[in-house]
Structures are given as structure tokens and as C-alpha cells.
């Protein structure tokens, strides 16, 4: 009975202490942030829990201590520094999480014991691979971290609290931030509560030095917090910084000893040194906030959080004048208010390994991000695209999906007003959404991206097939497409021929030419190291189906008569039965979707583009030329590409001539090399990201 009464009293004491802490923090928030921001915080904490993360969270199973090994390397790229003071069970769990999912990067793990009085000194030396350092006397979090940094051998310092469970891939994602964006000086992880809710996805600092943990209590997968972006600071519970930079700014400033605000101060010092602070949401770390220091700012070590805010505000007073006032509730609109803001709408996120339109779109997004724009992407189908969505988020694109966007119209009603430029891809999306956007984003420039002129492609296909009904459908498409151009502020086309067509069909429309966008990959293997023929194109696109069937039935047998060992690699997603059946024909390999095309671009001798109808610019031709792979194509396939027959490309339109062109180029080493070089130069001149720079500036950044 006495034990039960003691437990009850202990529980009551905890609840009362927790309540006092909540009240104290609430009153402090009211004074510093005002009632709106305080109510927002209270609502987020007390409302029903948001959806759980898509990827299950890892927690090491609890078990008594036994010896194990952590990742270690003699020449580490990263040094993971874990300062500890007592709480040996938490440290043990953290190390077990590191051991369970070792990173791909070479690393070392350093535990700095700040004078613990528990079993830390007995357990840590028995962990294989761990570098254990015990300080002579307790000096606090900052002193322990700076000692760990002095011991580190890695190029990058990674500070990690011991009350954390690093998730699989966390360290590699942090390090990748420096690789992808070399101006990064500080990369911070996304922190999650043990129940899966967000604790912080970077932080916002207000003009008085107070701070906001961005995303606190929200869903971990909420698109507002899921993309790489600049942040004012990130929690020292999990952050990475190049060791040389850490040393050059003086490490964690001891004026904040023993702890709190040293991480915020470090972020400001990094920016003062000319580098960026970025949050990396792909690096996820569960943080049992308060395990080591509690949560009540009115007592114990947490009281230094209040004291050090004043120290920080005094040190950075001049910089803080440019920060928002306390009481502001941060959101994407306020965080990106100083940038050019661009929204792109399409049916789904781009998949550049599947179609050329996706590659063009992705490279456009890269160009916009490189020029400092904030970019959001709304797939109107609202499907999460898996790796394709994650790739956009890593590019820094605010990428939306269900259930966080209930419907495209509802999302646009709530968000469209914050954008300066809105791109509508394909005529049916433009027709559907332009009226809504005129109402909810009246100041935005509406750009209709045609991808290609659908009515032109449909008309040519109908004429080739002699299909009167299809010809009437093409005329209907023409009416819808031209109406979308009239409603938009500006229309993008991909070829000079289409631009000339619209001067006749839509003379009042403002039309800009933004063609395919490619990075020049280089020449690949030389003539003698290459063999075979290749075609690349998704088979949801009718011109590609017709092209492959025509080539396989009418052209390839003639080629095999002259080159009996040559093979034809047919690559493209979703081949229909009649294309799949071509694999029964000698020498034809139907691969379907191939995630990595580089081996086929760099090792196959020739590409073929036997298109008999279509419109726009053919990405398959650009792609091959960007890899130094010569192309044999029809007149239709090279339309609008600034190509010269016999110089940049070989052109033929009937089966016999096409086969003859393939055989001649396949056998002629000198001509092959000359055409390969000319193709590389053509892509650099007309289809590279540099070639498109002036158009992108006019369309997305210049005033009307």
C-alpha cells in the first residue's frame, strides 16, 4: 500500500510540474508572440494526431547492455559527436540505432562523457569501434561538443544528441546536402517526436531573438516541411557542418554555456561567413525532447534558454532587425516572401527516365531554383510519385500530394494567391484552371506550356491514317488549345516551326520558344566500343508505337540483310502487345522501361527515330546527341531541331532509304565521329540550359 501511495504521489508531482511548465511557457509565449501565435501552438499540441509517416519509424528494441559495434572508419568523411551526461540507457539506444543501420559514408562515432555518474563509463568502452572520451569535469553541453570537435578526424562534424533515434539513411542524406548544394555551411535534420509528429523542420528566428520550431506537432510528411530549403537555424540535436568551417567561426560560442541558443548562434555565424543553412527533411531523427534537460524553462538547465535568448539578441541585434516580428505564424507564403514564387501544375510529377517532356520540365525546375526562385509543384492527380516526388523535394521544390491537398481546386483557392507566376501544363489543364486562377490569383502571370501542339500532332496522325473522324477530333483539339492560349498571359512552345504555326493560327497570342532542355553528357564510348541500334520512347505516345512497328516491319529486316549481327534495342514504358510481340523477331529486344538509359546511350552505336507523325521537338533525338550518339531519323523526327542532313543527323523517310542510311553510318568510322561531334555541338547551342537562360529570364522573372 505504501508503495502504491508513493507511486501515486510521484505521478501527481510529475503532472503538477508538467502543468506548471506548460502554463509558464504559455504565459511567456503570450508576452513574446501574442495570442494568435500562442493559440496556434496550443491548438497544434492539443488537436487529434495527424497522419503517421509513410515510412515506418525505427526504434531499437530495449534490451540489457551487451557488447556490440558501431560504424567506424580509419579515414572518416563524417565524425558523429554525441555529448552525454548521465542517461546511459538513452545513449545506449542511440548507439544501437546507429549500429542497426550503418551509413554508406565512412564515419566515426565519438561519445564525449561530461562527467557522468551512472554506468556510462562502464558501458561505453565496451562498444566496439566507438571513440569514448571522458572529460575531467562537467562543463556542459557546449564544452562537451567543442571537445568532441577537437577530437574529430572527419571532414564533416555531425552533432547528435544522445536522446535520439537516427533513422535509416539519416547521415547519408545530411552529407548529400553538401554535395548537391556546395554553398551549404550547415545542414540540419528533421526532428520527430517519438509518436511520429514533427518536432522541427528547421527553425524561424524573430526580431526579438525568440524562435519558432517550424512544423511543430504537424504531420511529418506534410509537403510544407518536406523539401530542402534554407532555414534561420536548426536544432543542435542533429546537425552537420564542415569541420574547417566550424573551426573558422570559433565553434559553439561559450558565452551561451552551459547550453541553449548555441545552435542558433552557430547558424547565424555560418551565414555571416557567406554560407547557407539548410534543413534536410530526408534526414529524419526521432528526438525524445526533454529526456536530458526537461521542458520547463522556469527551472534547471532549461532556464538558460530564457537567459541566453537575451545574450543572442544582443549579439545579433543588427541582423535581427531584418527578421519578422514575434507573433508571426510562419508558413510557405511568409518564408518565401522575398523570392520570385512560381507554381507549376501538371497531371503528375515529372519522371525524366520515362519521357522527354518530363526531362524538359525537371530541367526547367532546376533552372528556376538555381536562379533563386521558390518553386511549388501541384500534380492535379494528387498522387505521391515515390522517388520522383522525393527528387523534387531534394531539389527544393514544395511538392504537394494527398491527403494534404484534398483537391486541386481547393488547394488553389487556399494557396494560389501567393505565387507570381503559375505554369499550366497541357491544354486541358489550362482550360480547366485558368478561370479559377483568374479569381484566386489575379496578379499572377499565367503561362500555358503546350509541351507540343497537340492539334498539330493529332492532325498529322489522322492524315497518315486517312481517318476522317480523327481529323475532326484534331480540329476540336485545335479550338480548345487556341482558346487556352487566348486566356493565358503567355504560351510556351518547343520549336520555331510551332511558333511560326501560331503566328498564323493565333496572331494575338504572346508566344515564347522554350525548347527541350538537356545537359550535355559527353561523347561516351568511341565507335569501335559500340554496337547495335536503339530507340527510346514511351508507348503511351501513339507516334512512338507507329514508329517502332514501321521500323521493325519495314526497315529492320533490310538492315539485317547487310548487318546480320546487329540488334535493335526497343526501350520505353508500357509497350502494347503488338510492340511486345516484336521480340519474337530475330535481333529485336523489347526492354520496356529502363530506369538508367546511360549504358544504351554510351554503348550503342546508333539511335533511330523513325517517327512518321508528331509535333514539337523530339527528346529522344536530343538525348542521343547529348551522349555523342549519332541518329538516323525521319524528316518529322528532326523538325524544329536546327539539324542538317549529313552533318548533325542522317535523314530518310522511306524504308529502303532509312535502312541504307543506317547501314552506311554504322560502317563508316570517320563519318560516325564527325556526326557525333556535330550532334554534341547542336545540343549545346540550341538545347542546353545555358541556351534557354534568356527565355527563362523573360518568362519567369522580368516584369510584364
Amino acid at each position: 500500500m505504501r508503495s502504491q501511495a508513493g507511486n501515486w504521489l510521484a505521478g501527481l508531482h510529475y503532472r503538477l510540474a508538467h502543468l506548471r511548465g506548460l502554463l509558464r511557457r504559455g504565459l511567456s509565449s503570450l508576452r513574446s508572440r501574442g495570442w494568435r501565435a500562442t493559440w496556434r501552438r496550443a491548438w497544434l499540441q492539443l488537436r487529434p494526431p495527424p497522419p503517421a509517416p509513410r515510412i515506418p519509424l525505427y526504434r531499437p528494441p530495449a534490451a540489457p547492455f551487451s557488447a556490440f559495434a558501431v560504424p567506424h572508419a580509419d579515414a572518416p568523411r563524417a565524425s558523429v559527436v554525441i555529448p552525454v551526461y548521465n542517461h546511459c540507457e538513452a545513449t545506449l539506444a542511440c548507439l544501437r540505432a546507429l549500429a542497426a543501420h550503418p551509413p554508406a559514408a565512412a564515419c566515426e562515432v565519438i561519445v564525449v562523457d561530461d562527467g557522468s555518474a551512472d554506468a556510462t563509463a562502464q558501458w561505453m568502452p565496451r562498444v566496439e569501434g566507438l571513440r569514448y572520451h571522458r572529460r575531467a569535469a562537467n562543463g556542459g553541453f557546449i564544452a562537451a561538443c567543442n571537445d568532441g570537435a577537437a577530437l574529430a578526424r572527419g571532414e564533416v562534424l555531425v552533432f547528435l544528441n544522445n536522446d535520439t533515434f537516427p533513422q535509416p539513411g539519416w547521415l547519408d542524406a545530411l552529407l548529400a546536402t553538401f554535395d548537391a548544394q556546395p554553398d551549404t555551411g550547415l545542414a540540419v535534420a528533421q526532428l520527430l517526436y517519438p509518436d511520429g509528429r514533427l518536432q522541427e523542420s528547421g527553425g524561424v528566428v524573430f526580431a526579438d531573438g525568440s524562435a519558432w520550431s517550424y512544423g511543430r506537432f504537424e504531420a511529418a510528411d506534410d509537403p510544407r516541411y518536406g523539401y530542402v530549403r534554407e532555414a534561420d537555424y536548426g536544432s543542435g540535436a542533429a546537425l552537420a557542418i564542415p569541420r574547417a568551417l566550424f573551426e573558422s567561426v570559433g565553434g559553439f560560442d561559450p558565452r551561451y554555456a552551459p547550453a541553449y541558443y548555441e545552435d542558433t548562434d552557430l547558424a547565424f555565424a555560418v551565414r555571416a561567413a557567406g554560407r547557407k543553412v539548410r534543413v534536410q527533411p530526408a534526414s529524419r531523427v526521432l528526438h525524445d525532447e526533454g529526456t536530458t534537460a526537461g521542458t520547463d524553462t522556469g527551472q534547471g538547465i532549461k532556464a538558460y534558454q530564457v537567459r541566453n535568448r537575451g545574450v543572442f539578441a544582443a549579439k545579433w541585434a543588427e541582423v535581427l532587425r531584418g527578421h519578422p516580428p514575434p507573433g508571426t505564424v510562419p508558413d510557405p507564403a511568409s518564408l518565401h516572401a522575398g523570392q520570385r514564387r512560381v507554381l507549376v501544375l501538371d497531371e503528375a510529377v515529372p519522371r525524366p527516365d520515362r519521357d522527354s517532356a518530363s526531362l524538359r520540365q525537371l530541367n526547367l525546375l532546376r533552372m528556376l531554383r538555381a536562379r533563386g526562385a521558390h518553386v511549388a509543384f501541384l500534380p492535379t492527380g494528387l498522387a505521391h510519385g515515390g522517388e520522383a516526388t522525393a527528387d523534387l523535394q531534394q531539389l527544393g521544390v514544395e511538392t504537394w500530394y494527398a491527403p494534404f491537398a484534398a483537391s486541386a481546386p481547393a488547394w488553389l483557392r487556399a494557396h494560389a494567391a501567393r505565387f507570381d507566376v503559375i505554369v499550366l501544363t497541357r491544354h486541358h489543364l489550362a482550360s480547366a484552371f485558368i478561370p479559377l486562377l483568374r479569381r484566386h490569383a489575379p496578379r499572377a502571370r499565367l503561362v500555358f506550356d503546350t509541351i507540343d501542339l497537340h492539334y498539330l500532332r493529332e492532325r498529322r496522325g489522322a492524315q497518315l491514317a486517312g481517318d476522317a473522324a480523327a481529323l475532326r477530333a484534331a480540329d476540336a483539339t485545335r479550338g480548345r488549345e487556341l482558346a487556352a492560349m487566348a486566356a493565358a498571359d503567355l504560351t510556351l512552345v518547343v520549336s520555331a516551326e510551332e511558333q511560326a504555326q501560331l503566328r498564323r493560327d493565333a496572331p494575338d497570342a504572346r508566344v515564347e520558344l522554350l525548347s527541350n532542355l538537356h545537359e550535355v553528357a559527353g561523347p561516351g564510348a568511341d565507335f569501335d566500343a559500340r554496337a547495335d541500334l536503339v530507340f527510346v520512347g514511351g508507348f503511351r505516345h501513339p507516334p512512338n508505337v507507329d514508329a517502332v512497328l514501321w521500323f521493325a516491319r519495314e526497315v529492320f529486316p533490310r538492315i539485317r540483310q547487310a548487318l546480320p549481327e546487329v540488334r535493335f534495342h526497343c526501350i520505353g514504358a508500357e509497350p502494347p502487345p503488338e510492340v511486345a510481340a516484336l521480340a519474337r523477331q530475330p535481333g529485336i529486344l523489347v526492354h520496356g522501361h529502363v530506369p538508367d538509359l546511360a549504358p544504351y546511350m554510351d554503348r550503342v552505336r546508333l539511335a533511330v527515330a523513325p517517327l512518321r507523325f508528331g509535333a514539337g521537338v523530339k527528346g529522344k533525338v536530343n538525348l542521343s546527341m547529348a551522349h555523342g550518339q549519332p541518329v538516323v531519323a525521319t524528316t518529322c523526327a528532326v523538325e524544329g531541331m536546327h539539324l542538317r542532313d549529313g552533318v548533325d543527323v542522317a535523314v530518310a523517310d522511306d524504308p529502303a532509304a532509312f535502312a541504307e542510311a543506317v547501314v552506311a553510318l554504322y560502317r563508316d568510322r570517320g563519318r560516325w565521329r564527325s556526326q557525333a561531334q556535330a550532334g554534341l555541338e547542336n545540343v549545346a547551342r540550341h538545347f542546353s540550359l545555358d541556351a534557354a537562360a534568356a527565355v527563362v529570364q523573360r518568362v519567369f522573372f522580368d516584369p510584364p
Side-chain angles (χ1 to χ4, degrees):
M1 289 293 291
R2 187 175 300 169
S3 175
Q4 289 180 347
N7 289 340
W8 183 85
L9 286 171
L12 178 62
H13 176 76
Y14 165 79
R15 285 190 289 273
L16 289 173
H18 184 60
L19 180 60
R20 282 197 302 271
L22 286 174
L23 289 172
R24 188 178 288 112
R25 297 205 309 274
L27 290 171
S28 175
S29 180
L30 280 171
R31 286 192 296 270
S32 62
R33 300 186 179 96
W35 71 269
R36 291 181 185 276
T38 301
W39 167 247
R40 169 72 173 164
R41 285 189 160 219
W43 163 245
L44 288 172
Q45 187 166 5
L46 299 173
R47 70 175 182 176
R54 293 174 64 248
I55 300 174
L57 300 174
Y58 172 76
R59 297 173 181 80
F65 178 82
S66 60
F68 63 99
V70 294
H72 59 280
D74 293 332
R77 181 186 179 192
S79 297
V80 181
V81 176
I82 306 175
V84 306
Y85 177 61
N86 294 326
H87 302 282
C88 56
E89 291 84 1
T91 306
L92 180 63
C94 177
L95 294 175
R96 281 176 169 159
L98 288 171
H101 300 282
C107 70
E108 63 178 353
V109 182
I110 303 170
V111 165
V112 181
D113 183 353
D114 197 25
S116 299
D118 59 5
T120 298
Q122 285 75 49
W123 289 355
M124 295 302 111
R126 296 170 59 192
V127 178
E128 184 181 346
L130 179 69
R131 295 185 63 195
Y132 173 63
H133 171 71
R134 184 174 175 87
R135 301 186 77 248
N138 178 267
F141 179 84
I142 290 173
C145 286
N146 286 339
D147 275 10
L151 294 167
R153 298 172 298 176
E155 170 194 339
V156 178
L157 296 173
V158 183
F159 294 99
L160 183 70
N161 276 16
N162 68 328
D163 55 353
T164 61
F165 298 146
Q167 297 300 292
W170 75 285
L171 180 56
D172 293 314
L174 269 185
L175 297 177
T177 315
F178 298 101
D179 299 331
Q181 301 184 82
D183 63 344
T184 301
L186 190 68
V188 300
Q190 188 182 79
L191 300 181
L192 276 65
Y193 285 108
D195 64 4
R197 292 180 301 166
L198 259 180
Q199 187 178 114
E200 176 184 298
S201 187
V204 177
V205 177
F206 300 116
D208 64 348
S210 62
W212 182 285
S213 296
Y214 190 54
R216 195 177 188 91
F217 305 125
E218 297 277 16
D221 294 330
D222 190 314
R224 291 174 293 173
Y225 316 112
Y227 58 98
V228 175
R229 62 173 182 82
E230 291 185 39
D232 288 343
Y233 79 99
S235 169
L239 60 78
I241 181 172
R243 180 158 56 95
L245 178 59
F246 185 77
E247 292 169 353
S248 72
V249 299
F252 286 123
D253 191 335
R255 78 180 70 190
Y256 300 101
Y260 292 106
Y261 266 89
E262 74 287 333
D263 44 13
T264 315
D265 178 86
L266 180 65
F268 276 58
V270 163
R271 268 191 301 279
R275 305 286 282 275
K276 305 290 188 182
V277 176
R278 289 189 170 95
V279 58
Q280 174 53 270
S283 177
R284 286 186 164 177
V285 173
L286 264 65
H287 182 211
D288 192 7
E289 184 184 43
T291 291
T292 55
T295 59
D296 187 355
T297 58
Q299 60 183 353
I301 195 170
K302 283 288 282 187
Y304 284 96
Q305 186 171 337
V306 177
R307 173 243 184 206
N308 285 347
R309 172 183 150 190
V311 175
F312 170 81
K315 178 179 178 180
W316 296 100
E318 187 171 344
V319 176
L320 288 172
R321 290 193 188 100
H323 283 243
T328 305
V329 178
D331 59 17
S334 62
L335 292 182
H336 300 289
Q339 297 171 263
R340 190 69 166 170
R341 293 163 296 181
V342 179
L343 170 65
V344 178
L345 277 78
D346 202 348
E347 294 172 305
V349 293
R351 297 178 180 272
D353 59 336
R354 290 178 177 263
D355 62 83
S356 61
S358 286
L359 181 59
R360 172 179 174 270
Q361 188 175 71
L362 181 63
N363 280 331
L364 173 59
L365 298 177
R366 285 183 176 136
M367 292 184 71
L368 294 172
R369 289 287 300 119
R371 287 169 172 253
H374 172 62
V375 182
F377 193 99
L378 177 67
T380 57
L382 302 181
H384 191 291
E387 286 189 18
T389 292
D391 288 345
L392 287 191
Q393 292 174 320
Q394 285 301 296
L395 187 60
V397 176
E398 178 192 333
T399 311
W400 286 79
Y401 40 81
F404 304 99
S407 72
W411 189 93
L412 290 170
R413 283 192 291 270
H415 294 271
R418 62 181 162 105
F419 295 98
D420 304 300
V421 181
I422 300 177
V423 181
L424 300 114
T425 311
R426 302 169 219 278
H427 69 88
H428 55 280
L429 289 186
S431 300
F433 288 109
I434 284 178
L436 183 69
L437 291 170
R438 289 297 183 200
R439 185 179 310 117
H440 296 292
R443 294 179 296 175
R445 176 183 298 171
L446 302 187
V447 177
F448 168 33
D449 189 357
T450 62
I451 303 300
D452 63 22
L453 288 182
H454 289 49
Y455 74 85
L456 193 59
R457 168 164 47 85
E458 291 177 11
R459 179 191 296 164
R460 289 171 174 176
Q463 290 169 341
L464 181 67
D467 188 333
L471 198 57
R472 289 192 295 273
D475 287 339
T477 299
R478 177 181 182 275
R480 291 191 294 271
E481 213 158 3
L482 296 182
M485 294 174 196
D489 296 314
L490 186 149
T491 296
L492 296 178
V493 295
V494 296
S495 75
E497 280 71 11
E498 290 187 342
Q499 196 172 30
Q501 180 75 39
L502 290 180
R503 279 197 289 269
R504 297 188 293 272
D505 291 353
D508 295 331
R510 179 185 170 188
V511 179
E512 288 276 4
L513 171 57
L514 183 65
S515 198
N516 286 355
L517 301 169
H518 291 266
E519 294 179 307
V520 179
D526 196 18
F527 178 88
D528 293 319
R530 292 175 178 256
D532 297 338
L533 313 175
V534 66
F535 171 91
V536 177
F539 290 107
R540 294 179 65 183
H541 192 52
N544 288 338
V545 176
D546 174 82
V548 165
L549 293 176
W550 178 75
F551 179 80
R553 293 167 179 170
E554 304 293 332
V555 181
F556 190 61
R558 300 169 190 261
I559 295 171
R560 288 275 287 188
Q561 289 177 4
L563 303 169
E565 301 302 318
V566 78
R567 299 178 300 171
F568 173 47
H569 299 272
C570 179
I571 296 173
E574 302 179 46
E578 60 269 32
V579 171
L582 295 175
R584 295 195 291 268
Q585 188 172 325
I588 296 181
L589 293 83
V590 179
H591 296 281
H593 171 62
V594 173
D596 183 11
L597 290 172
Y600 294 93
M601 299 294 100
D602 295 337
R603 291 288 174 180
V604 172
R605 188 171 292 179
L606 293 182
V608 295
L611 296 163
R612 298 196 297 166
F613 69 97
V617 171
K618 311 307 180 293
K620 58 179 65 63
V621 176
N622 289 140
L623 179 66
S624 291
M625 289 182 171
H627 284 261
Q629 183 181 63
V631 180
V632 180
T634 58
T635 301
C636 175
V638 299
E639 181 182 69
M641 300 190 69
H642 314 281
L643 296 172
R644 299 157 293 174
D645 184 18
V647 180
D648 315 275
V649 69
V651 179
D653 290 308
D654 67 76
F658 203 102
E660 183 181 343
V662 169
V663 172
L665 187 56
Y666 196 89
R667 288 173 167 169
D668 191 331
R669 181 185 291 105
R671 183 180 160 198
W672 184 95
R673 287 174 174 165
S674 174
Q675 188 172 315
Q677 182 60 37
L680 286 166
E681 292 170 359
N682 176 275
V683 172
R685 187 179 305 115
H686 298 291
F687 302 103
S688 66
L689 275 59
D690 287 342
V695 174
V696 169
Q697 178 67 34
R698 285 197 303 272
V699 172
F700 294 95
F701 295 92
D702 287 351

